[in-house]
Amino acid sequence: MTRLTRFTRTTAFKLSLLYIAVFTVMSGVLLFYIADNTDNLMSEQVVQTVDSELKTLADVYVRGGVRDLVETIDTRSRHPDASLYLLVDFAGNALVGNIARLPTTVLEEADGGLRRVRYTRLGQDSEDVERQAMVRTFELRGGFRLLVGRDLGEQLRFANLLANAFRLWLVVVVVMAAITWLFVSRRVMKRIDEISATSRTIMQGELSGRLPVAGNDDEFDRLAVNLNTMLDRIEVLMQSMKDVTDNIAHDLKTPLTRLQTRTENALREAKGEEGYRGALEATLQESDQLLRIFNALLGIARVESMAPASVMEQADVNKLVEQVAELYEPLVEDEGGKLETDLPEDLMAECNRDLISQVLVNLIENALKYGRPETGDLRIRLGAREENGRVVLSVTDNGPGIPEKDQDRVKERFVRLEESRSEPGTGLGLSLVKAVARLHGGDLRFMNEDPGLSARIDLKPVKPDSSRSGHEQGGTAGQSGEGD
């Protein structure tokens, strides 16, 4: 493809051509309308002037005859910018007037009709200049012929003026089109080229690339922001897939190896039915643990792949938290602790009730495992409040908390701090909570309460009176999550 072909196929070139065509047509229509109406108006004025002159001269001829008519025409023809007059006898001899030359057929056709003719005006400076005029010719008694007309010079000059204006306007349109092309090619096309370059980078596998945002909030900025949001989502999904693959490849290698070793040892060392039964029971326990890990990984991947718009609904946060508290309050009391709630009235949010229930369950179980204080009884408090335009859910305990340096690390998959190694678990519970928080447009945050730890996620609020449908259908948090 040649450079010229590429140039003519650009949007800037096509927009410039369209600009020229549209403005040329619009200008032509406007100027034609002005010229046509002006020409009609001026023609009507010429006809009215000629008819008025003829009526006056006819009256003079009726009252005073040819002599008074000749004197009147002679007087009028001497005035500057006078109308055209010519009076000839039956032989065609000019008696009086201000016309030097005229086609003879004009005088011969003395029927009073309006004609456009070319003539030469009588005068020292104008006898060699041919002009145009609108005339009427009448035959009088005695064989006399009277011609009265009006010069069309002003009308023609105005037509030339409009023609020149049209040509000048075409030049202006072309110049403006060139300026438009420069603007489009330098500004708009530059933005498009930047988007194309970034897109090629992303297609080559560099998912961290993002479209540039100029910051002027135009349509390109809005497009770039939406595409960047989409790319963020795609990158999260791709990273999630990679994490699942890496986790299966690395973190599950150890339990699979342990499972294989136990089976081999049983085949090699076990004696009798009791030995084989013990080996099978240990193998089943290890298999159950592997299935729990797989299910947890699949659950996280499923949450990360969800489209937020397809799973959200308006929910009564108070009722949702109270249902989870009612379910886990006996369990916490059995463990020697106390479960409390701190909820305002009429607090609603846009969320997935089942997933939020799962989040609260996971955080409560984490508090039961790792939130016990060194002295005294365990206290777990479920809270909800509206803060900075978001609904914040929190689960707070009075335990030792998590060091700030580890608060980000514990959200990663299979990460378990040294202090929690003695407790059963997969290290995937907080990863699921983090995935659910991101699905709701927020994040999982930790705050050390001294003593204790507060785990928080935030949701999009909904006005209490906007919808009551679905309040009575809140799901029961009956699922158990894996803790860290």
Side-chain angles (χ1 to χ4, degrees):
M1 184 183 298
T2 65
R3 175 175 293 184
L4 178 61
T5 303
R6 294 181 59 186
F7 170 75
T8 56
R9 290 186 178 181
T10 61
T11 303
F13 180 78
K14 294 176 181 177
L15 285 177
S16 300
L17 287 183
L18 179 63
Y19 181 88
I20 293 175
V22 170
F23 275 85
T24 300
V25 171
M26 290 177 61
S27 303
V29 170
L30 179 62
L31 290 175
F32 175 78
Y33 176 80
I34 294 174
D36 184 63
N37 283 272
T38 304
D39 183 69
N40 292 335
L41 178 61
M42 296 180 73
S43 297
E44 290 176 3
Q45 291 176 345
V46 168
V47 172
Q48 292 174 2
T49 302
V50 171
D51 290 345
S52 177
E53 292 278 359
L54 282 171
K55 185 176 181 302
T56 302
L57 294 176
D59 291 342
V60 171
Y61 179 71
V62 170
R63 290 195 304 268
V66 174
R67 183 182 297 274
D68 287 351
L69 181 60
V70 170
E71 291 178 356
T72 301
I73 291 176
D74 184 61
T75 301
R76 292 194 174 196
S77 62
R78 295 179 186 275
H79 293 165
D81 195 29
S83 297
L84 300 177
Y85 306 98
L86 183 62
L87 181 63
V88 298
D89 59 14
F90 65 93
N93 299 315
L95 302 178
V96 67
N98 54 3
I99 296 177
R101 287 192 299 272
L102 188 73
T104 56
T105 56
V106 177
L107 295 173
E108 293 173 355
E109 299 174 356
D111 55 2
L114 191 66
R115 292 181 176 83
R116 183 187 289 261
V117 299
R118 303 187 72 85
Y119 77 101
T120 301
R121 196 180 186 97
L122 185 65
Q124 184 178 0
D125 300 328
S126 58
E127 291 187 0
D128 295 332
V129 179
E130 194 173 50
R131 303 181 180 183
Q132 293 188 43
M134 195 74 72
V135 301
R136 288 186 189 273
T137 307
F138 288 91
E139 186 173 358
L140 305 177
R141 293 191 305 270
F144 296 101
R145 291 182 176 86
L146 174 63
L147 180 147
V148 179
R150 190 70 183 173
D151 189 87
L152 299 178
E154 293 183 0
Q155 196 169 347
L156 295 175
R157 283 193 296 273
F158 185 76
N160 289 332
L161 179 64
L162 287 179
N164 292 332
F166 182 70
R167 286 190 287 269
L168 178 61
W169 180 246
L170 282 180
V171 173
V172 172
V173 168
V174 171
V175 172
M176 293 178 66
I179 294 174
T180 303
W181 174 79
L182 287 174
F183 173 79
V184 173
S185 61
R186 290 181 178 272
R187 297 288 299 274
V188 178
M189 297 304 296
K190 180 181 179 182
R191 298 289 301 277
I192 294 176
D193 290 341
E194 290 175 349
I195 292 175
S196 298
T198 305
S199 301
R200 286 193 295 270
T201 301
I202 294 172
M203 287 188 293
Q204 292 171 359
E206 185 60 44
L207 294 180
S208 61
R210 294 295 180 269
L211 304 179
V213 179
N216 50 19
D217 198 30
D218 59 5
E219 59 274 12
F220 287 102
D221 269 4
R222 294 193 293 271
L223 175 63
V225 169
N226 290 335
L227 290 177
N228 286 341
T229 303
M230 180 186 69
L231 291 172
D232 289 339
R233 179 69 177 161
I234 292 175
E235 186 177 18
V236 168
L237 294 177
M238 295 297 292
Q239 185 62 40
S240 174
M241 184 183 301
K242 181 178 181 300
D243 290 344
V244 170
T245 304
D246 291 344
N247 294 151
I248 292 175
H250 297 90
D251 295 275
L252 298 184
K253 182 178 180 180
T254 298
L256 286 173
T257 302
R258 188 165 53 245
L259 183 63
Q260 181 182 14
T261 301
R262 285 182 178 177
T263 303
E264 291 175 348
N265 289 338
L267 291 174
R268 185 175 57 254
E269 300 175 1
K271 297 180 180 179
E273 180 180 348
E274 183 177 349
Y276 285 114
R277 177 178 293 277
L280 287 174
E281 290 175 351
T283 300
L284 285 175
Q285 291 177 357
E286 200 71 45
S287 300
D288 289 340
Q289 177 69 3
L290 284 174
L291 287 175
R292 285 195 295 271
I293 293 175
F294 270 112
N295 289 333
L297 287 173
L298 291 175
I300 294 173
R302 191 178 301 114
V303 170
E304 291 177 338
S305 65
M306 285 181 179
S310 65
V311 297
M312 301 300 174
E313 56 186 329
Q314 296 178 5
D316 189 332
V317 175
N318 297 34
K319 188 170 184 179
L320 181 64
V321 175
E322 287 171 354
Q323 287 175 341
V324 176
E326 183 180 356
L327 179 67
Y328 268 81
E329 187 175 9
L331 178 61
V332 174
E333 291 178 352
D334 289 345
E335 294 291 330
K338 184 177 182 181
L339 182 63
E340 305 171 345
T341 58
D342 182 13
L343 303 172
E345 295 182 358
D346 294 328
L347 188 60
M348 295 186 62
E350 186 175 306
C351 64
N352 183 293
R353 286 194 292 263
D354 293 336
L355 292 178
I356 295 302
S357 298
Q358 181 69 63
V359 164
L360 294 175
V361 167
N362 281 17
L363 294 177
I364 291 173
E365 291 189 350
N366 273 355
L368 283 172
K369 290 180 181 179
Y370 316 119
R372 294 181 178 277
E374 295 182 359
T375 58
D377 296 331
L378 170 65
R379 286 187 296 106
I380 301 176
R381 184 173 70 256
L382 304 184
R385 67 180 183 278
E386 192 166 353
E387 180 180 291
N388 297 326
R390 300 281 288 181
V391 172
V392 179
L393 297 180
S394 62
V395 177
T396 306
D397 59 48
N398 60 337
I402 299 176
E404 289 189 9
K405 62 183 180 66
D406 295 326
Q407 287 182 2
D408 288 334
R409 195 166 66 90
V410 294
K411 303 176 190 178
E412 299 175 6
R413 297 174 188 178
F414 296 106
V415 171
R416 304 184 70 198
L417 303 181
E418 291 299 326
E419 296 82 357
S420 62
R421 295 284 180 181
S422 59
E423 295 289 341
T426 62
L428 294 173
L430 291 180
S431 297
L432 177 62
V433 174
K434 177 181 177 182
V436 173
R438 283 188 174 181
L439 178 67
H440 288 77
D443 197 7
L444 170 62
R445 305 186 306 276
F446 295 111
M447 290 190 64
N448 285 319
E449 299 290 343
D450 194 27
L453 178 73
S454 177
R456 304 177 180 182
I457 67 169
D458 53 284
L459 313 172
K460 180 181 178 181
V462 176
K463 295 299 181 181
D465 57 347
S466 62
S467 174
R468 287 291 176 179
S469 62
H471 292 186
E472 307 301 328
Q473 301 176 9
T476 300
Q479 299 175 347
S480 294
E482 291 293 340
D484 276 330

